[in-house]
Amino acid sequence: MPELPEVETTRRGISPYLEGSKIKKIIIRNRSLRWPIPSELEKKLQNQIIISLNRRGKYLLLETSVGTAIIHLGMSGSIRIVDNDLIPEKHDHFEIITSKNIIARYNDPRRFGCFLWAGKKPENHPLLINLGPEPLDSKFTSNYLYKSTRGKRTPIKQHIMNSRNVVGIGNIYANEALFYAGIDPNRIAGRISEKRISKLVDEIIAVLKKAIKEGGTTLRNYRGGNGMPGYFKQELAVYERENLKCKKCDSLIKRRVLAQRSTYFCRTCQK
DNA sequence: ATGCGGACCTGTTAGC
DNA sequence: TGCTAACAGGTCCGCA
């Protein structure tokens, strides 16, 4: 479900309800996410004021004065603000209830997500410490990405999907950005010119910004924090468009598996 | 040091 | 209509 734009949409949707609020209670119905939810987590967070809800890559950071909890939506997770009388469903694994009885409910059918404690220095948590720059941060420049590719023999698509190089770019937007940059996803990262890498950086930033503006991409059942679907799907140029016409040149979009992920591209437009 | 395949799960859809 | 297989937005980990 979520890549950076979807996580950011979720964050923006729920943070007005959470920031500055006091956590009255946390209810955990199923601890077995990707890693078990720590047994003390709800106790640690109880009665704490939520200072902020931030994002690092695809991780949501729930900051309180005693420390920060990490939430990840995995492949199929979502968080929604729900009405008090809405009965929890099968995959509603935990929820945060504020002193004003606002309920932020976490749902994740595949349970690839997580809810963990990161203490007072979340940036040092093992899940966060090796993360590369944020793509929408000024540190993510063409010079940076160019240098990161030198000597690398991996395909460029894998390179930009590797969170050590840059965070938040998942399968949808990797495909999309490479299409707009005119780069074959399979091209060896270390053999792409600085000029083309620069174009890629511009397109990554553009596609992420646009997707955030549209409220994320809704495939299957994704919903943002306010329960609304995203509207970016209709903009997708290549993702899930196998055998459909390329939007630039009319040849047919190809699908190929690269590093176990579906990869969509136009043979004519991407070299 | 880097790169890969496997693993963790459930749900939906395409194909027979 | 029903069964089976393939596939799905992520990413850590162990092994080569």
Side-chain angles (χ1 to χ4, degrees), chain A residues 28-186:
Chain A
I28 298 174
R29 299 193 173 81
N30 183 357
R31 310 195 89 89
S32 54
L33 300 186
R34 177 163 191 187
W35 299 281
I37 299 175
S39 58
E40 301 293 299
L41 189 52
E42 60 270 53
K43 285 183 194 166
K44 283 194 176 94
L45 290 169
Q46 186 152 12
N47 295 325
Q48 299 303 321
I49 307 276
I50 297 168
I51 296 169
S52 66
L53 182 67
N54 285 318
R55 181 184 59 71
R56 179 73 176 100
K58 296 170 193 162
Y59 295 94
L60 289 168
L61 305 178
L62 187 80
E63 186 196 357
T64 75
S65 56
V66 293
T68 295
I70 300 178
I71 300 170
H72 197 284
L73 301 176
M75 205 108 136
S76 56
S78 62
I79 303 175
R80 296 172 65 179
I81 303 295
V82 298
D83 290 333
N84 301 45
D85 55 355
L86 187 64
I87 297 163
E89 293 179 23
K90 193 174 176 185
H91 301 296
D92 289 338
H93 304 312
F94 70 87
E95 63 200 40
I96 298 165
I97 306 171
T98 73
S99 57
K100 288 179 186 164
N101 291 320
I102 299 283
I103 303 175
R105 187 169 284 170
Y106 178 99
N107 178 285
D108 184 8
R110 288 176 77 178
R111 292 192 275 120
F112 283 178
C114 68
F115 185 27
L116 297 170
W117 183 247
K120 290 213 172 188
K121 292 233 187 277
E123 65 276 14
N124 292 336
H125 188 278
L127 290 174
L128 306 182
I129 195 160
N130 290 316
L131 294 181
E134 289 288 330
L136 299 181
D137 188 272
S138 59
K139 283 177 192 158
F140 184 62
T141 61
S142 60
N143 185 41
Y144 164 79
L145 191 65
Y146 180 69
K147 282 184 178 160
S148 76
T149 57
R150 293 309 93 180
K152 297 288 173 64
R153 273 165 240 178
T154 3
I156 186 65
K157 178 164 180 261
Q158 272 177 267
H159 188 84
I160 59 171
M161 287 181 72
N162 182 341
S163 63
R164 285 175 174 254
N165 301 321
V166 53
V167 297
I169 304 171
N171 201 33
I172 298 177
Y173 301 108
N175 280 302
E176 294 295 301
L178 286 163
F179 171 75
Y180 290 115
I183 298 172
D184 181 341
N186 213 17

Side-chain angles (χ1 to χ4, degrees), chain A residues 1-13:
Chain A
M1 172 195 302
E3 294 192 26
L4 188 151
E6 291 72 40
V7 177
E8 180 61 17
T9 299
T10 298
R11 191 192 70 77
R12 291 181 186 184

